């Protein structure tokens, strides 16, 4: 009877008392070394105090899995994040579960059911729009969470990993100004995203610093997809006084501008300059190779994975917000404006 009573103390209860995740308690029970010494001692003390015992056949082992969650998976941008997370996970000897939650309750519930069944080490969300029920359940399970390139102000107390989007927007626009461009079009991302607003603010800051007016007629609302870049490029290049350069706030939209220019008989780099943002692998092979702002996407995934694994081990994370530097990569798609 005594053994039956002691077994009412669950791993989840011990995790809650210790302020750690369920997988962390599992790692302690299984004698794994990847747990901070102080965390291990605290968990072991609680296990002893509450008389937790288990039969070997009923042992719950750590899953050795990370969950990586996107709103969708239809962009090369997502592939780069996955590559970075997978590099760290592979080195740590754990697997990666990649999911897309399309902001539907059924999709989120299905994903959460999977998380419960596989006792994930931690979750990396490539969005900050984590619905309250998900937040509450992940907190209850003591599963650590890290956000990558947060959409807005994070809705939960979790570390975030991003890039210096404002500095990238500034650098791209300043480069075009140094080349001699004065009418510079800009294709934005979705306005509700922090990265979109920061890149737009960088563009405006560069124009204002150079004493150039920000013409709202040269700003086109995009959505980070190729089609909106094509639509924006077509609109801007058909203006009575078109811009001599266009800065698109992602590479996919910049490639759309390439196609818009081609269909109007214009040559990118000669008749119109184009600068993108991301430095996706394919833009090195575009014609011409694209000048762009390198966003360290794979590195962002790596930092997020390392951070969530540290949290899973019960370690402290010094900074709640980590920003990786962007860098202007000059190729052949931008040049001084032609004399008209």
């Amino acid at each position: 009877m005594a053994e039956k009573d002691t077994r009412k103390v669950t791993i989840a209860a011990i995790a809650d008392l210790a302020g750690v995740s369920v997988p962390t308690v599992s790692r302690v029970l299984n004698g794994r070394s990847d747990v901070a010494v102080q965390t291990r001692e605290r968990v072991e003390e609680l296990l002893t105090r509450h008389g937790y015992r288990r039969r070997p056949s009923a042992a719950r082992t750590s899953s050795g899995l990370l969950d990586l969650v996107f709103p969708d998976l239809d962009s090369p941008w997502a592939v780069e994040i996955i590559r970075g997370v997978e590099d760290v996970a592979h080195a740590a000897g754990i697997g990666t579960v990649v999911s897309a939650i399309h902001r539907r309750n059924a999709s989120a519930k299905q994903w959460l059911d999977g998380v419960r069944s596989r006792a994930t080490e931690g979750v990396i969300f490539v969005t900050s729009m984590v619905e309250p029920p998900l937040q509450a359940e992940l907190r209850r399970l003591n599963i650590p969470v890290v956000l990558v390139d947060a959409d807005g102000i994070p809705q939960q107390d979790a570390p975030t990993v991003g890039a210096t989007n404002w500095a990238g927007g500034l650098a791209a626009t300043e480069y075009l100004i140094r080349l001699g461009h004065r009418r510079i079009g800009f294709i934005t991302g979705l306005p509700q995203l922090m990265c979109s607003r920061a890149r737009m603010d960088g563009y405006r800051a560069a124009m204002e610093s150079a004493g150039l007016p920000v013409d709202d007629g040269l700003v086109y609302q995009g959505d980070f997809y190729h089609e909106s870049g094509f639509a924006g490029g077509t609109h801007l290049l058909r203006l009575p006084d078109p811009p001599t350069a266009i800065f698109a706030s992602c590479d996919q939209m910049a490639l759309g501008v390439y196609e818009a220019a081609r269909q109007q008989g214009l040559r990118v780099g000669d008749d119109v300059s184009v600068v993108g943002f991301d430095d996706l692998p394919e833009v090195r092979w575009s014609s011409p190779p694209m000048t762009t702002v390198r966003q360290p996407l794979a590195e962002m995934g790596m930092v997020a994975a390392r951070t969530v694994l540290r949290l899973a081990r019960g370690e402290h994370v010094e900074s709640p917000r980590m920003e990786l530097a962007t860098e202007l990569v000059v190729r052949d798609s931008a040049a001084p404006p032609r004399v008209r």
Side-chain angles (χ1 to χ4, degrees):
M1 182 67 180
E3 181 176 350
K4 181 179 180 182
D5 290 341
T6 59
R7 288 192 54 76
K8 290 181 180 178
V9 180
T10 65
I11 292 178
I14 296 296
D16 187 54
L17 290 169
V20 299
S21 67
V22 169
T24 296
V25 178
S26 293
R27 284 194 292 270
V28 172
L29 287 167
N30 288 290
R32 284 179 43 175
S33 61
D34 54 345
V35 180
V37 174
Q38 290 182 338
T39 300
R40 178 183 298 279
E41 291 175 350
R42 183 165 71 254
V43 170
E44 287 177 342
E45 190 273 331
L46 286 167
L47 290 168
T48 301
R49 184 197 310 170
H50 292 276
Y52 181 87
R53 297 202 306 269
R54 59 177 172 80
R55 292 185 295 270
S57 61
R60 177 181 179 180
T61 60
S62 177
S63 63
L65 293 172
L66 281 182
D67 267 78
L68 176 59
V69 184
F70 294 86
D72 57 61
L73 291 170
D74 57 357
S75 168
W77 182 91
V79 174
E80 292 298 296
I81 297 284
I82 294 170
R83 184 164 63 84
V85 171
E86 180 60 24
D87 283 350
V88 172
H90 178 74
I94 62 178
T96 306
V97 179
V98 180
S99 307
I101 299 179
H102 304 284
R103 306 199 189 286
R104 296 193 302 265
N105 289 335
S107 177
K109 182 180 183 302
Q110 183 180 24
W111 173 79
L112 194 54
D113 289 342
V115 168
R116 292 191 193 98
S117 67
R118 57 182 170 263
T120 186
E121 304 274 330
V123 179
I124 300 170
F125 285 107
V126 191
T127 174
S128 67
M129 302 303 290
V130 183
E131 296 300 323
L134 288 184
Q135 296 179 41
E137 182 63 9
L138 291 172
R139 280 195 298 268
R140 189 186 72 81
L141 295 171
N142 281 310
I143 294 176
V145 171
V146 172
L147 307 174
V148 175
D149 204 36
D151 292 351
I153 302 301
Q155 297 177 349
Q156 66 181 50
D157 184 18
T160 64
V161 180
T164 54
N165 290 291
W166 182 88
L170 182 78
T173 311
E174 285 183 337
Y175 176 67
L176 290 170
I177 292 170
R178 287 198 302 272
L179 288 175
H181 294 279
R182 297 296 177 264
R183 288 184 60 77
I184 301 173
F186 181 65
I187 302 179
T188 76
L190 292 169
Q192 67 267 31
L193 304 187
M194 278 183 66
C195 59
S196 298
R197 298 196 297 270
R199 293 170 199 177
M200 176 71 172
D201 289 345
Y203 161 79
R204 288 183 176 276
M207 296 290 285
E208 291 168 359
S209 179
L212 299 174
V214 177
D215 184 348
D216 290 338
L218 296 182
V219 176
Y220 185 90
Q221 178 67 62
D223 60 10
F224 285 135
Y225 287 95
H226 181 281
E227 292 79 4
S228 69
F230 174 75
T234 300
H235 169 77
L236 292 171
L237 293 173
R238 285 179 175 171
L239 291 173
D241 186 12
T244 60
I246 297 175
F247 170 34
S249 53
C250 79
D251 287 348
Q252 289 290 97
M253 294 194 300
L255 290 172
V257 176
Y258 271 43
E259 179 61 17
R262 187 191 68 79
Q263 290 195 14
Q264 294 186 48
L266 302 174
R267 293 169 298 177
V268 171
D270 290 329
D271 301 309
V272 61
S273 290
V274 177
V275 175
F277 200 112
D278 282 334
D279 196 25
L280 297 175
E282 59 261 40
V283 304
R284 304 167 198 173
W285 309 107
S286 58
S287 182
M290 186 185 295
T291 293
T292 187
V293 176
R294 180 178 183 271
Q295 181 174 206
L297 297 169
E299 291 89 338
M300 288 160 62
M302 293 173 72
V303 170
R306 292 190 188 113
T307 301
V308 81
L309 287 176
R310 287 185 61 191
L311 292 172
R313 292 193 295 265
E315 298 176 9
H316 176 68
V317 176
E318 293 79 10
S319 174
R321 171 70 182 177
M322 292 157 276
E323 285 195 340
L324 279 63
T326 52
E327 176 188 5
L328 182 69
V329 180
V330 176
R331 298 193 179 100
D332 300 331
S333 63
R338 296 181 65 180
V339 178
R340 293 178 176 174

